Amino acid sequence: MEIREVAVVGLGTMGAGIAEVFARAGIGVVAIEADPQALLAGLGTLDASLARAVNRGRLDARQQADIRARVRPAAAFADAAAADLAIEVVPERLEVKRQIFAELDRVCSPDAILATNTSSLSVTTIAAASRYPGRVVGMHFFNPAPVMGLVEVVATVLSDDRVPAAAADLARRLGKTPIQVADRAGFIANALLLPYLNHAAGLLETGYATAVDIDRAATVGIGLPMGPLALLDLIGLDTSLSILEVLHAEFNLPRYSPAPLLRRLVSAGRTGRKAGRGIYRYPAAVPDGVEETAGADLAPDTVTVIGAGDDQEAELASALAAAGLNVTRNAAHPTELVLIVAESGKPVLPAALAAGRATEAVGLHLPGGLGNGALVELIATSLTSEQAMRAATALAGRLGMTIVRAPDRPGFLVGALLYPHLADAVRMVQDGYASPADIDTAMTLGCGYPRGLFELIDEAGAADVLAGLRAMYIAYGYPALAPPPLLAEHAAAGIDFAVAPPGKPATAGAGARRTGSAR
Ligand SMILES: NC(=O)c1ccc[n+]([C@@H]2O[C@H](COP(=O)([O-])OP(=O)(O)OC[C@H]3O[C@@H](n4cnc5c(N)ncnc54)[C@H](O)[C@@H]3O)[C@@H](O)[C@H]2O)c1
């Protein structure tokens, strides 16, 4: 199917970007707006984006003019008559979308494809209202559309086979990577992202960790471009809440049940960045990292390091000695602070009690190893004194590490955020909804993750992720933390999820055998 002209209905945040993407690919765009002001604003967004590209040397004036000339504001819906594809990008309300589809049914040729950019409504429900449901498909672009490389192409049980295939071809022509999925709430990216964000809000609400520490654990500890709480503020707590409600209605699992904090903040009008206040205040009141430098003079001179006798313990002891501390590994020697090198999945308290110095003992977990700027999780047990925590903070600051504080619970902070997120991804594969390769593509190209979730699992080792989840499940008993059998199978077999090379679809259980044993 050749797509020469498209109609874009709704020129708001997403529609303006989508119109630009089509026009840049040489496709004529008829822009349909209900609100003349919104039309002007949308065209203004498009003009500003093209002007930026010219300033950066990515387009010349001629290309800019050609692209702009391809976008034609429509006087009426009837102007969509010649479109080979029409995409609706109107607000996320089913009745509005159905109305648009009724109009498009009336004016478009029966061969034209009708697409929806919905994030969370059922494409099937929208399609069922169309006169020709076989031609309806979801084309879910990500914000900002000209930048983000992913399009989730959503087929329904009513779709003609050629329609999702044509939408995927079109996405490729636009320079995007399509992934084809069935119609399920949240598709891939939102169904994985939102429960992770919700869980982070829950950790904040229950006092598990501070907002800054939660975000820092995600950015410095996991390597994500943004912390989950800052991301909630950016997406909008109201938008996040409504997507979670849709996910919860579809799956009825506690992980999608919105954290009460989100509802409270939304009712209070604290909807995030756009409102100047959400979880954080905007512009940010306190520069990140200030508290580390304060109190550096509290750093102790003598410290005991206790660990499993492995390389990490030795490395920490020598780094501390190099920083001028008097270091011993004998718990009987009197020192100002006891650092217990914590292992993922193992509580710190038993080691602190065994050392006979529980009030002076602080757990120290290094998810990415030692190094300047690397993350250190400082773990207070129920017996750790405030003074010991302050001393450990000052010490880690002296080593130049990025500090977060976590309770002595399974996963500490990085694992508490990450393991359930990874389990959701494995469950999605186990459900037969998506392949590890598609999930990694969705999270990297749609959400800007530097590495996919399966890449992260393979890097940590399925056995480690399984042990972390199992410890969390035993501690809390929440069904969402129950390790998915597929993860246990990979851990037992010692195989990676190894995303297959291009052209060879990765399937569950078909991962590469690990070299060496499962970690
Ligand atoms: N904002 C995002 O980050 C994002 C990301 C992916 C998908 N989406 C989805 O894209 C869709 C649009 O979201 P948005 O953020 O661009 O919304 P928006 O409110 O910024 O824009 C919607 C536009 O549609 C116009 N409109 C309303 N009714 C209309 C009608 N009957 N005919 C023509 N135009 C009409 C409005 O005037 C407005 O300009 C939603 O389905 C949303 O879920 C949004």
Side-chain angles (χ1 to χ4, degrees):
M1 281 182 86
E2 219 202 316
I3 311 273
R4 282 162 311 231
E5 178 158 310
V6 300
V8 175
V9 186
L11 227 60
T13 310
M14 290 303 291
I18 291 171
E20 178 181 338
V21 169
F22 282 122
R24 275 173 176 260
I27 298 169
V29 178
V30 179
I32 303 177
E33 246 300 338
D35 173 359
Q37 287 299 107
L39 177 66
L40 283 180
L43 293 174
T45 305
L46 172 68
D47 287 336
S49 172
L50 294 178
R52 270 196 308 276
V54 172
N55 286 338
R56 289 180 188 155
R58 297 201 180 124
L59 286 181
D60 60 32
R62 173 76 193 273
Q63 289 167 314
Q64 177 189 27
D66 286 350
I67 294 169
R68 188 60 184 77
R70 282 188 206 112
V71 182
R72 180 166 59 89
F77 256 98
D79 290 3
D84 305 300
L85 176 142
I87 180 166
E88 71 71 19
V89 203
V90 299
E92 193 73 334
R93 289 205 307 277
L94 187 60
E95 69 285 2
V96 182
K97 304 224 185 242
R98 289 179 100 158
Q99 215 178 350
I100 303 289
F101 271 73
E103 290 281 3
L104 293 173
D105 265 342
R106 206 166 47 75
V107 300
C108 293
S109 124
D111 290 336
I113 294 176
L114 302 191
T116 168
N117 186 50
T118 183
S119 302
S120 57
L121 299 174
S122 157
V123 179
T124 314
T125 310
I126 296 171
S130 166
R131 261 167 61 202
Y132 309 99
R135 62 165 166 175
V136 176
V137 69
M139 280 188 86
H140 186 224
F141 288 82
F142 287 73
N143 190 15
V147 177
M148 302 307 280
L150 181 73
V151 178
E152 289 177 317
V153 173
V154 187
T156 76
V157 288
L158 301 165
S159 301
D160 293 344
D161 288 348
R162 65 177 185 106
V163 171
D169 283 346
L170 175 62
R172 277 187 280 270
R173 198 173 141 201
L174 301 175
K176 309 286 183 195
T177 302
I179 46 183
Q180 297 200 47
V181 287
D183 185 22
R184 211 176 86 156
F187 315 130
I188 295 180
N190 280 337
L192 291 175
L193 183 68
L194 267 296
Y196 153 73
L197 302 182
N198 191 38
H199 179 57
L203 292 179
L204 174 67
E205 181 165 28
T206 53
Y208 190 93
T210 65
V212 168
D213 282 355
I214 290 170
D215 278 355
R216 209 176 271 165
T219 52
V220 185
I222 307 174
L224 298 177
M226 201 179 221
L229 302 175
L231 186 54
L232 275 169
D233 273 355
L234 183 68
I235 296 173
L237 301 186
D238 48 350
T239 305
S240 305
L241 179 63
S242 60
I243 300 178
L244 279 166
E245 280 167 345
V246 170
L247 288 167
H248 192 243
E250 175 113 341
F251 301 111
N252 195 25
L253 293 170
R255 199 156 155 74
Y256 305 103
S257 172
L261 175 70
L262 291 181
R263 282 192 202 287
R264 298 291 171 273
L265 291 176
V266 171
S267 335
R270 282 173 56 173
T271 51
R273 237 173 228 242
K274 60 189 169 190
R277 191 138 189 218
I279 290 166
Y280 297 103
R281 222 182 249 282
Y282 296 89
V286 185
D288 196 17
V290 159
E291 74 254 65
E292 262 73 66
T293 49
D297 53 328
L298 295 170
D301 297 316
T302 54
V303 62
T304 305
V305 174
I306 294 176
D310 58 8
D311 290 352
Q312 200 165 64
E313 182 189 344
E315 221 185 305
L316 176 68
S318 48
L320 290 168
L325 272 102
N326 201 334
V327 183
T328 172
R329 286 150 93 176
N330 183 342
H333 288 172
T335 50
E336 294 158 84
L337 176 70
V338 178
L339 286 179
I340 298 191
V341 184
E343 286 176 79
S344 183
K346 275 200 188 158
V348 172
L349 186 61
L353 290 170
R357 311 260 304 273
T359 51
E360 299 136 88
V362 173
L364 181 145
H365 187 236
L366 300 163
L370 259 180
N372 200 18
L375 192 85
V376 56
E377 296 178 282
L378 294 181
I379 300 136
T381 73
S382 333
L383 295 173
T384 303
S385 69
E386 263 304 310
Q387 195 189 345
M389 223 28 205
R390 278 199 298 271
T393 304
L395 200 57
R398 201 197 273 182
L399 292 182
M401 301 206 67
T402 306
I403 301 155
V404 297
R405 293 156 203 83
D408 191 15
R409 304 229 184 107
F412 308 126
L413 184 50
V414 171
L417 278 170
L418 185 60
Y419 293 147
H421 195 23
L422 299 178
D424 287 343
V426 174
R427 225 172 271 118
M428 192 178 261
V429 174
Q430 190 179 275
D431 287 356
Y433 182 66
S435 69
D438 281 351
I439 290 172
D440 277 8
T441 302
M443 301 316 280
T444 49
L445 298 184
C447 303
Y449 282 29
R451 280 169 302 163
L453 295 172
F454 286 95
E455 237 182 295
L456 289 173
I457 296 177
D458 285 349
E459 198 179 282
D464 262 20
V465 177
L466 179 71
L469 260 177
R470 216 172 243 162
M472 288 179 76
Y473 184 51
I474 290 166
Y476 298 101
Y478 301 148
L481 299 172
L486 181 64
L487 180 67
E489 286 155 23
H490 275 255
I495 51 174
D496 283 344
F497 283 91
V499 167
K504 195 171 170 223
T507 50
R513 190 158 289 278
R514 293 183 76 81
T515 50
S517 63
R519 278 164 280 174

